[in-house]
Every structure is written in structure tokens, then in C-alpha cells.
Amino acid sequence: SRTGSFLWTNPGFWRARIDGQGSYLRFRKPSHLPSPHGIDSGQRVCLDPPTKPFPGDEDPCEKMKIVNESFTKGGSGSVKLIPDNAEDMWQLFNLLRVDDHCEAVTFRKVTRGGVGAGGDSGGRGSGESERIKVKLKVLVTSVTYDGDGEAIRVKGRNTTETEHVKLGAYHTLDIDTQRPVTVTKSLWDTIDVDRLRYASSPTANADVAVLLITEGLANIFLVGASVVSHQQKVEKQMPRKTGAAGLGYDKALSTFHKNVLSAVLTKVDLEKIKCLVVAGPGFAKETFLSWCDLESQRFGSSSASGNVSGGTSTTTTTTTSQASSKPDQTLGTFAKHRKKIVQTHCSSAFRGALKEVLETTTVAREIGNTKAASEIKALDVFFETLSSKPDRALYGPAHVFAANELGAVETLLIQDGMFRNPDANQRRRWVALTEEVATAGGTVFVFSSAHESGRQLGEITGIAATLRFPLPDLVDAELPPIEGLDGLAVDANEA
């Protein structure tokens, strides 16, 4: 039996923080408990009365929560924060760099001494290994990002005196959502401060779910402001429409549709997203939505059981925060939010078609004036200028720096991978470039390398600019690469 404080609830779920741990647990609400007095799920958690009415409360931590901050822009200091979702984890990954200090709760395996009197270990050996929880502060030596698991691994040397971990010993902190972490820097530059302010802004989110579908193949994506996460892939071997094999086509198609709808109801929280875009080549999207509408009418909102799985399709899943929350949704939920579902055309059902989908008028209207929308528009303007007025658009570090020295940069497009340069001096050059452009009245767009628009910018060196006035001689010049700035500072597995 453990006790904890009740935090919030939505229909069918409770969430609690366990005393002394600082971690959060999520429980399905037992049907026999009308109020939060306790939950029996292999363990008992006694909960205090809720601080908000329920059911139907909104999650109070939709964006990164800043618990405490004590730093000045251009100076040193620290910030304690709690990341809430994949977007926050990506922002935190970009905040952490080599030589920063990172403090968080972690687990360490220690070996206890021999057990039993007189050296008798009771047949269990001379010692036992045990995982204990400790709070460590490390001097960061490397940072890696796991996009599939939405986790960050921070490796560094321990700077905290503790009986379990020696000073200077290497340790890896596994940072997850809903766990507090403190970041201390010797210099908080403009990019860091702007990123932190953006991450904690409640208006920055732009979650749109995208279902790319064609016959026998479907991929589900969740498109945020900075991160595009692959939720699930559904495949089904489809027989020919003609000949003897055609007799099983309708059955196979129905099974495929059931599996796709099951994946959507499991992976996409229709209550929270702005819209679900169903896109693909041909008529597969129309056929799927027509089938869903017929199923909703057949079973009705009140009698829908939500059990739409079946068939023999092959399903590949990517674990994400939405996957772990597993929204309890049925065909009734689908019918209730049917107005959120829009359809559009794209060339394929693979990830590469996402940019086509996000550029459509319907989707652009849904995501509105968000960071993702403005970046997509800025990139389109750059390519249009490069095509129609090539003397007023250029890319590559050497050309962009040269144009900035002439005061010609009107719009700067730069990928966030540039700021992950392990060399502090080189990073400062990138930061100085963005500050100089902004001071001169230009516009700066920092693209996320985890977003489709950022990936496309990365294909042309990760930095580009449109100019206030033509510079034909500079555009045509072959400039030598700038030492240390001729490559993208991005991990190979993110490229």
C-alpha cells in the first residue's frame, strides 16, 4: 500500500503521483469506484480528493512546465522543468549540450555486502545487486535522443557526493516525460532562451494526425510543431480483383479497413487533435472513410464496442506517448469527431508524402499561424525565389555568411542541427549570425530536423536565405567552405 496525490483525470482514467518518488502512474478507473478513494491494480494507491472536478478535466501540463528558473540571457544559471510530451523532449534534447550540468533522479545498480552471519551468504553468493534510486548531477559529455521511445540519454561525470556513485564516475541519466530535470549552463544564449520560451508556451502546439493510406498499406503519423512521430504501420496482402482470387478481395479489404480503424482509435486521441487528415493516391481514402461511416451507422454510437480488430494483417508499431496512453475510444468516438476528419490527395502512403499533405489548403487552415505552418510557407517562398529570381536566393554556410556581411539577408532559414555543434566556438558563430540578421530587421526561422520541412532544408546544407537585393556575383561565386561550418551538426540516425 502506497499513498500519493491525485492530479487529474479524464473519462476512464486516473493519474497519480506516488509519494517519495516524483514519478507518475496512470490507471484505468475501476468501474466499482465512483470516487478516487483507491485503486487496486496489483498494488493499492490511496489518493487524496481531486483538485478539479471530474470527469473531463484537461491535462494541466499540455506543454513543458517550468518549475523554477534562475538565469539571465547572455549569462549563466539554471532551470528546472518537467517535459510532458514528445515535443518537449525534442526541445530539451536541443537545450542540452556538452559541458552543461544536468540533474535528475536516476537508478543505479549497487552491490550489497555479503548476507548472513559468519560470512554465510545463505547460498546467494557473497553479495546481491540492487537497483536504487538516487538524484545525480552530471557534467554532460554526450546527449542522445531516442525518437521512438521519446527518451533522452545524458552521459556525463558525476558531480554529486553520494555513497553509491563516486565523484567523477561516469553515469547515464535516462530522462523521460513527467520527470523533473534541472539544466545548468555557463551561457544561456538567444537560441536557448527562445527555445525554452517556445517550449513552455501553451499556444505553440499544432497536433495534427495524418493517415496515409492506399490498398493494403497505411501509415499513421502525429505531426506536432517540431516533431513528426510515426505511430503505426498497417499492412495487408491484397488478392487480385479479377479471376479466382477476386472472390476474396472484398473480405480482405474489409479486414484491412478494420485493422486501420483499430489502429486509428488506439493511436490517435480524437478528443485532443485538431484534425485527422486521411490522404493517399487513388480512391483508397474515400473507400476507407465510406466503410467507417457505414460501420458507425450499423453499430451506432451507443452500441459500438470498439472491438474492430481482426484479420491477418502485419502490423508494425512505434512506441510513443499517445501509444502508451491508449485512448479508450470506440466507433461512437469516431462518429462524434467525424467533422475533424478531412481528406486530401497525395502521391503515396509513405512518409515522403507528408510534406504534400501539410501544404494543402485544408491542412494549412487547420494548423493556422503556428511555427510549423510558418516554416513550411517560408521554405516554399525560398524555393519559389530560387526558381524565379535566382540572384536573390542562396544556400550554404559560406554564401549565407558572405551575404550577411553585406547586410543583404532578408529571411534566414536554418536547421536546429547547426546549433548542436559540439564546438562551443562554432555554435557561437551560428548564434551570432541569427542575432545579426534579426538586429538588421531580417526574419529568422529555426527549422526542426525532426520535422519534414527541416529534413528538406537539411538536404540543401541546412542553411539558406532570401535576399533584400540581387547579388548575382555572390550567387555564382564558388566560395571555399568555412572551417568547422561546412557540415551539418546532426546525428547520423536523425539525418
Side-chain angles (χ1 to χ4, degrees), residues 11-13 28 258 260-271 276 288 291-293 295-297 299-309 326-338 341:
F13 289 97
R28 187 179 299 277
K258 286 181 181 179
V260 174
L261 179 57
S262 176
V264 170
L265 294 178
T266 302
K267 301 297 181 182
V268 179
D269 194 333
L270 295 173
E271 293 280 352
L276 168 63
F288 170 70
W291 181 89
C292 291
D293 292 338
E295 287 295 299
S296 298
Q297 295 173 10
F299 293 102
S301 298
S302 61
S303 61
S305 64
N307 182 17
V308 294
S309 61
K326 293 183 179 178
D328 188 14
Q329 301 179 127
T330 66
L331 280 168
T333 311
F334 182 89
K336 177 182 176 182
H337 298 283
R338 183 63 175 83
I341 302 173

Side-chain angles (χ1 to χ4, degrees), residues 170-251:
Y170 280 100
H171 184 82
T172 300
L173 300 176
D174 291 321
I175 300 175
D176 299 313
T177 56
Q178 301 299 345
R179 292 189 178 182
V181 57
T182 301
V183 179
T184 304
K185 293 177 174 290
S186 58
L187 175 65
W188 285 87
D189 58 37
T190 303
I191 298 298
D192 288 333
V193 176
D194 290 348
R195 183 178 293 279
L196 189 63
R197 297 289 174 254
Y198 171 79
S200 59
S201 170
T203 61
N205 205 15
D207 282 348
V208 174
V210 178
L211 170 64
L212 302 180
I213 186 171
T214 187
E215 285 192 3
L217 174 65
N219 281 291
I220 302 173
F221 298 90
L222 185 64
V223 182
S226 302
V227 178
V228 176
S229 57
H230 183 222
Q231 299 291 306
Q232 186 160 323
K233 179 181 180 181
V234 180
E235 291 180 299
K236 172 70 179 175
Q237 188 73 27
M238 300 295 293
R240 291 184 178 181
K241 294 183 180 180
T242 58
L247 298 175
Y249 177 81
D250 291 340
K251 182 178 179 181

Side-chain angles (χ1 to χ4, degrees), residues 287-464:
T287 305
F288 170 70
L289 289 176
S290 297
W291 181 89
C292 291
D293 292 338
L294 288 174
E295 287 295 299
S296 298
Q297 295 173 10
R298 181 182 303 174
F299 293 102
S301 298
S302 61
S303 61
S305 64
N307 182 17
V308 294
S309 61
T312 57
S313 68
T314 303
T315 303
T316 306
T317 303
T318 302
T319 304
T320 64
S321 59
Q322 276 217 339
S324 62
S325 61
K326 293 183 179 178
D328 188 14
Q329 301 179 127
T330 66
L331 280 168
T333 311
F334 182 89
K336 177 182 176 182
H337 298 283
R338 183 63 175 83
K339 292 183 179 179
K340 285 186 177 182
I341 302 173
V342 297
Q343 55 180 296
T344 187
H345 175 80
C346 65
S347 59
S348 74
F350 296 99
R351 182 171 184 141
L354 275 177
K355 188 174 183 296
E356 300 176 40
V357 175
L358 297 177
E359 288 178 341
T360 60
T361 305
T362 303
V363 179
R365 184 170 58 248
E366 292 294 337
I367 60 179
N369 296 322
T370 62
K371 179 175 181 290
S374 60
E375 288 174 358
I376 292 172
K377 184 177 180 179
L379 191 61
D380 286 342
V381 170
F382 168 76
F383 281 116
E384 290 174 5
T385 305
L386 188 64
S387 175
S388 60
K389 301 177 182 178
D391 55 355
R392 296 190 61 174
L394 41 74
Y395 58 89
H399 286 81
V400 172
F401 270 92
N404 182 57
E405 290 177 0
L406 298 173
V409 176
E410 182 177 41
T411 304
L412 175 66
L413 290 68
I414 184 169
Q415 197 197 61
D416 58 12
M418 299 295 194
F419 302 105
R420 291 198 293 274
N421 196 313
D423 189 323
N425 292 326
Q426 303 298 349
R427 174 187 161 84
R428 278 194 284 269
R429 295 188 66 180
W430 290 119
V431 174
L433 173 65
T434 62
E435 292 176 340
E436 289 170 6
V437 171
T439 301
T443 305
V444 179
F445 292 94
V446 180
F447 286 67
S448 169
S449 55
H451 210 281
E452 296 310 300
S453 56
R455 289 171 181 258
Q456 188 175 9
L457 180 61
E459 293 175 357
I460 55 170
T461 74
I463 185 169

Side-chain angles (χ1 to χ4, degrees), residues 467-493:
L467 308 179
R468 291 189 174 91
F469 45 83
L471 290 175
D473 293 339
L474 177 60
V475 170
D476 296 334
E478 294 186 7
L479 303 180
I482 303 176
E483 185 178 356
L485 298 181
D486 54 345
L488 215 64
V490 60
D491 296 335
N493 59 351

Side-chain angles (χ1 to χ4, degrees), residues 102-106 134-137 173-175 179-182:
C102 181
E103 183 179 18
V105 173
T106 185
V134 293
K135 189 174 185 179
L136 294 181
K137 187 175 185 179
L173 300 176
D174 291 321
I175 300 175
R179 292 189 178 182
V181 57
T182 301

